Amino acid sequence: MASYRPRHLKRSASPLRGRGAALAASAAVLVPALAVTDQAVAAPVSAKTAVAPAAVAAVATSTGPTLRYGSYGSAVRTLQSKLNAKGYRLVVDGAFGPKTRAAVRAFQAKARVGATGVVGASTWRALGGYPKAAAPSRSSSRSNIVSIAYRYLGAPYVHGGAGPRVFDCSGLTSYVYRQAGISLPRTARGQQAAVPRTSRPVPGDLVFFGYPATHVGIYVSPGRMIASPRPGKVVKVQPIYQRPSGYGQVR
């Protein structure tokens, strides 16, 4: 004998199953979009514009290079120029230091792209995009030296310190150059004698004081260098505070 089931109960199961499948499909599309960040891929992806992860990564790569504290070069100068166009007052020196990071975070907060201080695809978009003509070439060894030197900002000066936690002036320069695969004498005097002199320094060259040299720093931009100054101070980006005795060219 067949069991009796009311007609309205017989029809209820199918619509519920269909609605549940639709909700699950929507969730599957929306959940990946919530994980998108400025450091990973492009701008947030909606259910209507969802794309495969590989395609999103390609968009981020073509938008512009990822920059963060310590980055250096033409891409940073492009970033600084774009931030200045938005009303921030930065020295366009190609060095991603504390002031550039603060401006980036302020802009990111205003643009609502996540105030991480790391410049990725969505930040470049908010700034109007990364100009293809300004795409940086492979960094030279000298630009790499400045980038390496930025890693040691804040390390205390200690006489005879040769890194990586403490430095004196020539200890810093010899250690940084060694990380870039370039061997230098240990003392400022020895470094001055070992490298060719130049009247047109570029980032990564050496700045000497005295002859024979009693102090040395790493040239960053006109009027600025990275150095370990003296006892009680730390490695920092500072003005070239007096007339140097000369510049040494790195090869």
Side-chain angles (χ1 to χ4, degrees), residues 191-212:
Q191 292 170 15
Q192 186 182 49
V195 299
R197 301 187 70 176
T198 179
S199 59
R200 296 182 178 179
V202 298
D205 281 344
L206 294 171
V207 186
F208 294 110
F209 299 87
Y211 196 88

Side-chain angles (χ1 to χ4, degrees), residues 170 185-195 208 210-216:
S170 58
R186 173 61 181 83
T187 65
R189 176 185 297 195
Q191 292 170 15
Q192 186 182 49
V195 299
F208 294 110
Y211 196 88
T214 57
H215 185 53
V216 63

Side-chain angles (χ1 to χ4, degrees), residues 63-118:
T63 301
T66 300
L67 302 175
R68 53 177 50 84
Y69 185 82
S71 296
Y72 187 86
S74 62
V76 178
R77 288 192 289 273
T78 299
L79 169 66
Q80 291 166 331
S81 296
K82 284 184 169 290
L83 287 169
N84 285 346
K86 299 291 184 181
Y88 299 90
R89 298 179 179 179
L90 296 171
V91 176
V92 182
D93 59 2
F96 198 130
K99 292 183 179 179
T100 299
R101 180 172 58 183
V104 165
R105 285 176 173 169
F107 173 77
Q108 288 173 327
K110 186 175 181 180
R112 298 182 180 181
V113 293
T116 62
V118 177

Side-chain angles (χ1 to χ4, degrees), residues 171-233:
L172 173 67
T173 52
S174 60
Y175 186 85
V176 167
Y177 277 91
R178 189 160 63 250
Q179 303 310 301
I182 300 171
S183 179
L184 285 178
R186 173 61 181 83
T187 65
R189 176 185 297 195
Q191 292 170 15
Q192 186 182 49
V195 299
R197 301 187 70 176
T198 179
S199 59
R200 296 182 178 179
V202 298
D205 281 344
L206 294 171
V207 186
F208 294 110
F209 299 87
Y211 196 88
T214 57
H215 185 53
V216 63
I218 297 172
Y219 183 87
V220 171
S221 61
R224 301 179 76 214
M225 67 179 181
I226 296 175
S228 185
R230 61 181 184 276
K233 299 295 183 180

